[in-house]
Each structure stands twice: as structure tokens, then as C-alpha cells.
Amino acid sequence: MEHELSIQQAPTRKEKPDYSDLSFGKHFTDHMFVMDYNEEDGWFDARITPYEPLLMDPSSLVFHYGQAVFEGLKAYHAKDSGILLFRPEKNFNRLNISNERMNIPAVDPDFLVEALKKLIHIDRDWVPTQEGQSLYIRPFIIATEPALSVKPASNYKLMIILSPVGSYYSNSDQMSPVSIYVEDEYVRSVKGGVGFTKTAGNYAASLKAQTKADELGYDQVLWLDAIEKKYVEEVGSMNIFFKINGEVITPALNGSILDGITRDSVIELLRHWNYNVQERRISIEEIKAAHQDGTLEEVFGTGTAAVISPVGKLKWKEEELTINHNETGALSLSLYETIAGIQTGEKEDKLGWTVPLEVKQT
Ligand SMILES: *Cc1c(COP(=O)(O)O)cnc(C)c1O
């Protein structure tokens, strides 16, 4: 696929929000990337334009049957090396995995990484510079064909929008553990379904359980397998890890959970540190037993938003397990410091994960 990229600069620049108080995904930069698809031309008309609302036909298929996929990644201000992206090719490869399952035409990941770099370069003065802050990047694709029949659309729009976001932790030296409600009524996904994709409907379907967890006073939901409600799957938008007796266990990619890029990075880093990491089925009973015999040392979630999110409490049926005295464990902290350090260029990137912006001045 060969694409041209046209650039239309915004005539005026918006006022920046208060960077000391950024809430997630509320403010967007001056520009966005857009590309359209039709059956004749494939993906065409790649362009960077001023950020603006879309005009869409009410019958656009995405509104009715939810044919939509997205990604999430971040750009970081690095002290000496400008702006860094973290493994961006993985996000666009994963977008194609979601596309394949959702019957959306494949995109060219290399082209999109280059287009993203140009977009960020144009809006580079939006990239926050404070510790823990970053520019959140949201690529997504929607079915735009006006039609009410249930079928794969013949027209799509791919867009990338950018949003400056604050630190996930209010105090970056202090990661605060989250409390988690183990959901045993609703289910998220089953093998053969779409749980391994980042498709919009997965998140719409999870809202009810999240509301229930909120009402019960827990921060997030941990999903169990849909068939036996016995094996751990993942958290709302994080994969999950358990450190038991010095070993680290995370649920295997079984077709119903998301193949997180932070998950992959954590596994690679732990193996690099000579930890025994097991990707396998792990039941909630096994976790309870490890808690009882004192071998459940740490639990943490992994995802782009928080990098590492220590889990202090797990509520399952009548039991509430407190993990590591509801404090951040040493391994969670090392993983956070190492990955966040690599992302911001403060730690040596031995595993070759970061991609500098390096756009030629035009
Ligand atoms: C995005 C997401 C993750 C985390 O993936 P990362 O690539 O690490 O950000 C985990 N689970 C779900 C359901 C997700 O949507």
C-alpha cells in the first residue's frame, strides 16, 4: 500500500488546558489524522486536518451494529531525546488483529506509525513535559457506510486523535494500590468471541459490572472465564499478574483476553531479570489458597494508562483478600520504574522498545 499524506494546518491554535489538572481524555490537540476506505480505492486520502467534529449520516453502520475498533498508546516527552513512542508498531499490528475479527479491512502499520509521527510533530507543543504526564494517542476505525442491513460496511473512516493526559498516580513516587471486585455474575468474553480485540462493544458490555463494583466501593472489575467462572481473565482495561512464592503467573492468551503490550513488555522484562514467568490458567481458588498460606506476594495490573497498577484488595464472593498489606510491592515498583523510565528516556532502552519522533523539518 502506497499512501500520500496531505497536511492542512489549523488556521488558529486552541488555548492549552491547565496542565497541572488534566483529566483523562477531555482535551484534544489542534490536529487529527483521517483516512477513508472504500471498496474501489482501499484506504485513501490520508490527511492531517484541523481537529473538528464529523458530519455523519444517521444510518452509518457504526451507530447501529457497532463495527468499530480502537487502539491506545502514548507519546512521552524525553529529557534528551525529544519525544518518544513506546512500541507503536505493536499497536497498529494489534489494530489489524481487531480489524480481521471485526471484518474491517487491514491497514498498513508502517505507514500509520509514520503518519502518527507527523501528526505528533505538528502538535508537539501539546506533549506535556511534567513527570508522569504524556500525550495519549487514540487511533480508531468506524464503519461509515449509510445502510441499515447487518453486514460488513463497504466504507470506513480511520482517525487518530491526541489528548494530553496527567499522571495516573497523583503522586508519582507513590503508586496507590487499587481494590478489585471479582465479577461472578456478568461475563466479558468467551473463546470464539471478540474478547481479544479492542472493539467498542466489549467496553459497552462491561459498564454494568463496573457500575456494580463502584457501588460496592471497589475501583475495578476482575473478570473470570465465562464458562466455569473459575479462572482469572483480566481487569477492565488491564491484564493481571500474580506473584506467588517468587514466581510470576499471568493468564495465558486464550482467545478471550486482550494481548496487552504492557503485559508483553512485563513478561519480557521479568524473563530478562531471570524470573520464572508462567502464562497459564490460574483459578481464583488457587489465588485464595496462596493468600491463605502466605505465598501470595503481589498482584498487579498492566496497561498503557497506569503501566503497573498494584492491587491491594481482591473481593471475591464473601471474601476480601488484602494483598501485601494493601501496599505497593517491590516487584510492582521495580517494573513501574523500569518501564516508565524507558518510556521517558531516563533508563537505558536495552530491549529496543522506544521509537523517537525524528521527523524531518519541512
Ligand atoms: C487495552 C487493554 C489492555 C491493556 O493493553 P495495553 O496494550 O497494555 O495497553 C488490557 N485489557 C483490555 C481489555 C484492554 O482493552
Side-chain angles (χ1 to χ4, degrees), residues 94 188 198 203 234 236-239 258 260-262 302-304:
R94 187 170 67 189
R188 177 179 176 276
K198 271 182 129 69
Y203 305 85
E234 61 178 318
S237 56
M238 294 195 292
N239 296 106
L258 196 96
I261 293 159
T262 321
T302 65
T304 296

Side-chain angles (χ1 to χ4, degrees), residues 34 48 60 74-75 119 127 213 222 225 257 279 302 313 343:
V34 190
I48 289 171
S60 298
K74 286 175 170 179
L119 176 65
V127 179
L222 176 66
D225 77 279
I257 68 175
E279 294 176 74
T302 65
K313 283 183 186 149
Q343 287 169 334

Side-chain angles (χ1 to χ4, degrees), residues 1-8 33-36 41-49 108 111-112 114-116 118:
M1 282 183 270
E2 274 299 310
H3 298 286
E4 304 261 309
L5 176 62
S6 72
I7 297 174
Q8 187 202 341
F33 172 83
V34 190
M35 183 158 80
D36 291 300
D41 304 307
W43 287 108
F44 71 103
D45 198 11
R47 57 206 188 268
I48 289 171
T49 71
D108 177 348
F111 170 73
L112 289 176
E114 291 311 309
L116 172 60
K118 292 209 175 90

